[in-house]
Amino acid sequence: MRRRRKLDEEHDNHERWLVSYADFITLLFAFFVVMYSLSSVNEGKYRVLSDSLVQAFRNVNVNDSGEQIVLPKVSIVPSQPITRPAPPAVDPAVEQRRQQAAQRMRSMADEIRRVLSPLTGSGQVNVTEGAFGVSVEINASLLFAPGEAALGTNAVSALQAVAQVLAPAEFPITVEGHTDNVPISTFRFPSNWELSAVRASTVARLFIDNGVAPPRLTAAGYADQRPVADNADEEGRGRNRRVTILIESRMADPEGGAGPTTIPPDDPIRSILPEDLQG
């Protein structure tokens, strides 16, 4: 019994760890082989794949419903120098008429300044020239009593002088009425809209009575919506209460005149327009 135990001890293998170590080394070698194979990429094939993916994503769009839309491939054409068309030749006759109109506009502005010289010195009247014509701004206190739309005697004589300057010309005229932001509520004028519109119409009617052609005139009331000064103090409110006369430099068509546009008989818009506007 004692001898058998001695033989068993002699047959025990004390180097079994070598088996596990060999397995570990084998796995480690396989790992490095795989890593090396992944790092060895064919650069040419990788470039082709990369370009294909970029082109595919550039040609894909998404619509409002979330669906992808493949757009057709667009060929890039080398840019060509842009050739700007030559400006159209200026008709000497048209240019001459334009210069004559500009000269008449300047002369009319000077004449309006002359007839309103007693008022322009006080700063209550301002005559300015711009790219779109002449603007004559008159303080409302020179024309109307507070809250009223009837012209005073001095205002009538001044506006009659302006009408005599405007009557021979052919330029369109817009008369604008403006107020401050202080509310008004009377039997005749429920708000500043009615007051500003009636004041503009009063001046336009005086122009018509003094020879200005009615088709040239437009009357508009803007209430307190277009201030030129701050309504926080009395001085600013006084500047905002005004009547502006705009003489537009827009010229009539040299060939066709300034007649109204005629609407074709079969146009559906004729059914919603008054008869005097259907042409």
Side-chain angles (χ1 to χ4, degrees):
M1 187 69 180
R2 181 180 300 174
R3 184 171 179 81
R4 184 176 180 181
R5 180 181 301 171
K6 185 177 180 179
L7 291 175
D8 292 341
E9 293 176 355
E10 291 178 352
H11 286 87
D12 288 341
N13 187 359
H14 297 286
E15 297 182 353
R16 287 180 299 179
W17 62 272
L18 292 174
V19 178
S20 299
Y21 179 76
D23 291 340
F24 172 74
I25 294 298
T26 302
L27 291 174
L28 189 62
F29 173 75
F31 171 75
F32 280 108
V33 169
V34 172
M35 293 295 294
Y36 175 77
S37 63
L38 292 176
S39 64
S40 300
V41 180
N42 187 305
E43 184 176 355
K45 293 182 179 180
Y46 178 79
R47 179 69 64 182
V48 172
L49 175 62
S50 175
D51 294 343
S52 300
L53 290 174
V54 171
Q55 185 65 28
F57 280 107
R58 283 181 178 175
N59 294 339
V60 174
N61 199 353
V62 179
N63 59 14
D64 295 338
S65 60
E67 299 177 353
Q68 291 186 347
I69 303 174
V70 179
L71 304 177
K73 185 177 180 180
V74 179
S75 301
I76 300 177
V77 181
S79 60
Q80 299 293 333
I82 299 176
T83 303
R84 297 185 180 276
V90 178
D91 188 350
V94 174
E95 182 63 22
Q96 183 180 6
R97 285 193 294 269
R98 185 179 295 110
Q99 292 179 0
Q100 292 175 352
Q103 181 60 40
R104 291 197 301 271
M105 183 67 70
R106 286 192 295 268
S107 299
M108 187 164 47
D110 293 339
E111 186 65 15
I112 292 175
R113 290 191 183 95
R114 186 187 65 80
V115 299
L116 293 179
S117 57
L119 302 177
T120 55
S122 62
Q124 301 295 309
V125 176
N126 188 21
V127 182
T128 57
E129 297 179 59
F132 300 101
V134 177
S135 173
V136 182
E137 185 177 292
I138 307 175
N139 192 282
S141 61
L142 298 177
L143 305 177
F144 308 99
E148 297 295 335
L151 290 168
T153 304
N154 295 334
V156 170
S157 59
L159 292 176
Q160 285 176 342
V162 174
Q164 292 175 3
V165 177
L166 299 177
E170 71 279 12
F171 302 103
I173 303 169
T174 300
V175 182
E176 298 177 351
H178 302 271
T179 67
D180 57 23
N181 65 343
V182 177
I184 182 175
S185 179
T186 63
F187 175 77
R188 190 177 180 191
F189 305 116
S191 71
N192 283 322
W193 287 102
E194 289 80 6
L195 177 62
S196 61
V198 174
R199 284 181 171 179
S201 301
T202 301
V203 175
R205 189 173 66 252
L206 182 142
F207 284 168
I208 293 173
D209 294 339
N210 286 271
V212 180
R216 295 173 50 199
L217 286 165
T218 301
Y222 292 102
D224 60 336
Q225 300 304 305
R226 297 190 179 183
V228 294
D230 192 354
N231 281 305
D233 52 36
E234 181 57 35
E235 181 180 357
R237 289 192 294 270
R239 290 188 57 194
N240 290 331
R241 296 189 295 268
R242 68 196 189 278
V243 171
T244 303
I245 304 169
L246 300 175
I247 302 100
E248 303 176 21
S249 60
R250 174 172 54 87
M251 292 297 297
D253 185 3
E255 301 297 333
T261 302
T262 301
I263 302 175
D266 56 346
D267 197 319
I269 199 172
R270 292 178 62 92
S271 60
I272 62 174
L273 291 178
E275 294 182 358
D276 57 343
L277 295 180
Q278 293 181 3

